[in-house]
Amino acid sequence: MYKLAFLIPYYNHPLKIAKLVKALNSFNQEIIIVDDGSNKASKQALDGLKVKVLTRAKNGGKGASLKDGFCFAKELGFSHVFQVDADFQHDISFCEEFISKSMQNPNAIIAANPIYDEFAPKSRLYGRKITNFWNAINTLSLDIKDGMCGFRIYPVDEICSILPSVKSDRMEFDIEILIRSYRRGIKLFWLDLKVAYEDDGVSHFRMLRDNLLISKMHARLFFSLPSYIFKVLNSAK
C-alpha cells in the first residue's frame, strides 16, 4: 500500500518551519522532522506543530539526518518519503504533481529539476554545473539533471537497501544517493520546480567544507566506476 510522509531534515531553521509545516499540512500527509541537534530556540520552534519529531543528540549533517529519517519512516510503515528542505525555498504547490507521479511509478525516485529565480547566487549555480558534470561521468549518462535539489520522493524499501553503501553524511548525500540509486537500477523521473532565494534565507552550506566533501565523494565514486562499467557490460550481453 502506498503510504507517504514528508521528511524534513532540520537544523537551526526556526523562522520558516511553522509556515512550511502549515503549508504541507494542506496535503493531508504525515510530516516527519529530523532535528539534527538544533539549538534551544530552534527546538522550541517545533513545539505544538502537527508533526512527528525524531531528535538527534548532536549535529551530524543533512545526510545523517536523512539516513535516520528513512529508517524511522520504514519503522512507522511508510512506503515513501517526500524530502523537503526546511529553508522553504521550494514551491510546494508542485507537491501534488510529484505525489501523483510517484503513485504512478511507486518504485521510482521522483526528483526536482530546479528552475532558479534571478536571485540565485552565481557561485551556487556554477557549483551545480560542476557537480552535474561529475554526475554524468559517475553514471555514464546524462540522466541526472540535478544532484543537489532537496525536493524528492523516495521509495523507502529501495533506498534503505542502498543506505549501507552511502558514505556521505552532509550536503553531498543528496548527490551520492542519486548516483548509487541510478547504478542500482532505480528509475528516476524529473519534474520542473521553481526555487526562490530570499534575503532572509538561511543556508548551512559551507563553501569550503562542503565542496571538499562533494569532491571527495565524486572521487570515491569515480574509483568504483570500473566495477560499474563491468556490471553495465554484463547486463548488456
Side-chain angles (χ1 to χ4, degrees):
M1 185 179 71
Y2 189 95
K3 185 180 179 182
L4 179 139
F6 288 105
L7 177 60
I8 304 173
Y10 178 80
Y11 176 64
N12 294 347
H13 273 104
L15 297 180
K16 296 185 179 181
I17 192 63
K19 182 180 177 182
L20 174 60
V21 167
K22 181 179 179 181
L24 292 178
N25 277 331
S26 67
F27 297 101
N28 298 313
Q29 306 288 347
E30 294 275 5
I31 300 172
I32 298 170
I33 293 179
V34 182
D35 173 23
D36 189 27
S38 295
N39 59 32
K40 185 177 180 180
S42 296
K43 290 182 184 298
Q44 290 175 340
L46 301 179
D47 292 344
L49 298 182
K50 188 180 175 182
V51 299
K52 298 181 185 297
V53 178
L54 175 64
T55 301
R56 290 175 51 82
K58 60 181 181 179
N59 178 255
K62 182 181 182 181
S65 297
L66 288 169
K67 289 176 182 178
D68 284 356
F70 288 131
C71 295
F72 185 60
K74 183 171 183 176
E75 289 175 7
L76 295 177
F78 291 100
S79 64
H80 292 75
V81 294
F82 196 151
Q83 176 189 343
V84 179
D85 288 347
D87 54 16
F88 209 175
Q89 288 182 338
H90 303 137
D91 185 345
I92 66 159
S93 67
F94 287 76
C95 284
E96 287 205 12
E97 182 181 358
F98 276 68
I99 294 171
S100 176
K101 190 72 172 179
S102 176
M103 293 181 73
Q104 295 166 19
N105 303 276
N107 296 319
I109 294 172
I110 314 301
N113 178 34
I115 309 300
Y116 295 100
D117 64 17
E118 65 273 23
F119 301 108
K122 292 293 186 291
S123 60
R124 297 293 293 274
L125 295 179
Y126 294 145
R128 285 174 186 271
K129 288 182 179 180
I130 293 171
T131 199
N132 285 338
F133 167 79
W134 281 104
N135 291 343
I137 291 176
N138 281 321
T139 59
L140 307 176
S141 77
L142 297 175
D143 292 339
I144 294 183
K145 295 184 178 181
D146 184 276
M148 300 183 72
C149 186
F151 193 91
R152 305 168 180 167
I153 300 180
Y154 295 96
V156 171
D157 285 344
E158 285 84 347
I159 294 304
C160 285
S161 71
I162 293 173
L163 286 183
S165 66
V166 179
K167 306 301 181 185
S168 302
D169 281 335
R170 294 192 177 275
M171 296 296 186
E172 76 278 19
F173 174 87
D174 282 335
I175 306 167
E176 183 175 358
I177 194 65
L178 280 192
I179 294 175
R180 291 200 179 276
S181 295
Y182 184 87
R183 288 185 176 186
R184 185 67 67 91
I186 296 175
K187 188 175 286 293
L188 307 178
F189 287 95
W190 298 90
L191 298 176
D192 289 346
L193 174 75
K194 293 179 182 178
V195 180
Y197 279 85
E198 300 178 4
D199 291 338
D200 60 347
V202 176
S203 173
H204 295 301
F205 189 93
R206 298 294 175 259
M207 196 64 66
L208 179 60
R209 181 198 68 186
D210 289 313
N211 279 323
L212 284 173
L213 287 173
I214 289 171
S215 297
K216 182 179 178 181
M217 178 271 300
H218 277 304
R220 188 169 62 245
L221 289 169
F222 179 76
F223 285 115
S224 69
L225 196 54
S227 62
Y228 176 61
I229 293 173
F230 181 76
K231 175 185 173 183
V232 170
L233 292 175
N234 270 348
S235 65
K237 291 180 180 179

